[in-house]
Amino acid sequence: MAFKDARHPLYPYTEEEKQEIRKELGLKESTIQDDIDAILDWFNKQPHMMDAGISRAIVERMLIISKGSLEKTKQKIDCFYKYRFLAPELIQNREQELCNHQNDIWTFIRQAAMPKLYKGNRVSVFKFMESDPCKCNTDSLFRNTFMLGDIRLTYDYMLGDIWLLDIKQVGIGHVLRANPITMQKTAHIFQEGMGLRVAAIHVLNAPILGQTVLSFMKQFFKPKIMDRVMIHNSLEELHKHLPKQYLPMDYGGDLPSLEEFKENYEKEFRSTKTKQYLLECSKLISNESKRPGSNIYDNYMSGSFKKLDLD
């Protein structure tokens, strides 16, 4: 199920931006199409993935993320299908949430991608709204994030991500309620599967326990990602790194408020096209009983939770 001109309203980009991204990576149209054909030929020979299928659009985005490397693209695709299979609670149970029109999809958090690319990167804003950790659910947060990710892997076009995290309402209770297994599964899908490159992480309104929150994240995410964290003490300081035209009005920006983004996201997720697309994407998982030559459960998450250091 496709959208007009292979675009999605949540993730706009221009043809000029697309060509600039390709140029920066040294990719040409003819080369890209040949590489996609080669990867599709490989994919359709993989007994544990071939039945799930894959689109040319997803392969192209994986190529962009992998900077044109065919072998890295194949590895990411394999990990993408594998780790989604291992996280059914995050990937394969979307129908109830998407079809339940009585409850909002976004409750304790506001989450939005800005419509303008900044130096080829997509700015995504996350604002925790609920100070009561009992009203927060990490499964819900990451399930929504991966649904947005599925849209991006077909319809977005960017070099990488820039995150803005507003953690004013986050405390030690939120950290203690976070399911470490869910966190580990999320990290696997995000880092080894989707493999989106994070150019920077900007943190606003960090409470006294902000370092504890970041220390918790370090247990799961690669050092090179966490090394890109910048904590800002004011909007003025943030604006030195992210100009106002790439931010919502909540942070002194020129773009709509996060509440407006939420309303648009809720409406879009209920639309027939997007809902059907997301349900189809939930089937993009491997059949590990058909994987040749190895058992994926060997070494999976082994030793990951012997000790969680929150210092």
Side-chain angles (χ1 to χ4, degrees), residues 21 24-25 27 61-68 72 76 119-122 152 158-163 190-191 194-201 224-225 228:
I21 289 169
E24 181 161 337
L25 298 175
L27 299 175
R61 271 59 176 187
M62 289 287 195
L63 264 173
I64 295 296
I65 292 168
S66 303
K67 299 182 179 180
K72 287 183 179 180
K76 287 188 186 303
K119 297 181 179 179
N121 295 300
R122 183 71 68 186
R152 297 187 68 183
M158 72 293 168
L159 287 170
D161 270 18
I162 295 174
W163 295 349
F190 177 77
Q191 294 176 135
M194 297 176 71
L196 293 176
R197 297 193 301 277
V198 179
I201 301 176
K224 70 177 182 179
I225 292 180
R228 293 168 185 169

Side-chain angles (χ1 to χ4, degrees), residues 1 3 8 10 84 89-106 140 142-151 262 264-283:
M1 179 167 289
F3 291 82
H8 192 282
L10 297 185
R84 285 164 67 93
E89 71 277 22
L90 300 179
I91 302 299
Q92 299 165 52
N93 62 348
R94 299 172 172 179
E95 187 167 4
Q96 181 177 355
E97 191 145 12
L98 289 171
C99 296
N100 182 359
H101 291 202
Q102 301 301 314
N103 298 322
D104 288 348
I105 296 175
W106 281 271
S140 176
F142 295 128
R143 184 164 52 246
N144 294 349
T145 300
F146 288 131
M147 285 195 285
L148 290 171
D150 283 349
I151 296 174
K262 175 186 179 292
N264 290 334
Y265 276 42
E266 294 278 353
K267 181 179 179 181
E268 188 59 44
F269 268 50
R270 308 296 189 190
S271 71
T272 301
K273 274 191 175 182
T274 294
K275 179 167 64 176
Q276 187 59 40
Y277 170 79
L278 290 171
L279 292 176
E280 290 173 359
C281 283
S282 68
K283 301 172 186 176

Side-chain angles (χ1 to χ4, degrees), residues 171-182:
I172 189 64
H174 295 78
V175 175
L176 294 175
R177 278 185 63 85
N179 185 331
I181 295 178
T182 298

Side-chain angles (χ1 to χ4, degrees), residues 301-309:
M301 297 195 303
S302 61
S304 297
F305 312 116
K306 291 180 180 178
K307 181 179 184 292
L308 289 179
D309 184 3

